[in-house]
Amino acid sequence: MNAMQQHMIDAYRAAQRGEAAPPLPGTGDVQALRAVRDWRRFEAVVTAPADRLPARLLRAVRAFLGRHAPVSAPVGHGPHPRQELPENAPHIGGRPAQCG
């Protein structure tokens, strides 16, 4: 059952009881979104940057990841040291190798 059908049932029930009909679905959505936006703006002004939600989440993720042992890379897939190429190295992809 969707929201409009539920509203029609609630409006019928309210009419049978002599009560006021409930508001239409979505009536307060814009007001709620504005309230959330205003609250976030207020919180940005009065809260220290380190205590704001994104910073707290980042700290929590770092703390969580710090407790677990890092996964090692497979053998042979580690970082490679920079290799010096000779002056007469072949061109790869149309660029000189020494510009690499």
Side-chain angles (χ1 to χ4, degrees), residues 52-69:
R52 292 186 192 145
L53 182 63
R56 290 192 323 249
L57 289 174
L58 187 60
R59 281 196 309 266
V61 168
R62 285 181 180 161
F64 177 77
L65 293 177
R67 282 187 237 144
H68 300 296

Side-chain angles (χ1 to χ4, degrees), residues 12-82:
Y12 175 77
R13 187 178 301 135
Q16 294 295 319
R17 296 179 181 173
E19 301 169 352
L24 287 170
T27 302
D29 291 354
V30 173
Q31 184 180 2
L33 291 174
R34 286 183 181 149
V36 169
R37 181 196 62 197
D38 291 345
W39 174 253
R40 298 218 30 192
R41 287 178 177 174
F42 170 76
E43 190 178 41
V45 171
V46 298
T47 308
D51 294 332
R52 292 186 192 145
L53 182 63
R56 290 192 323 249
L57 289 174
L58 187 60
R59 281 196 309 266
V61 168
R62 285 181 180 161
F64 177 77
L65 293 177
R67 282 187 237 144
H68 300 296
V71 178
S72 61
V75 177
H77 289 84
H80 298 287
R82 185 179 179 103

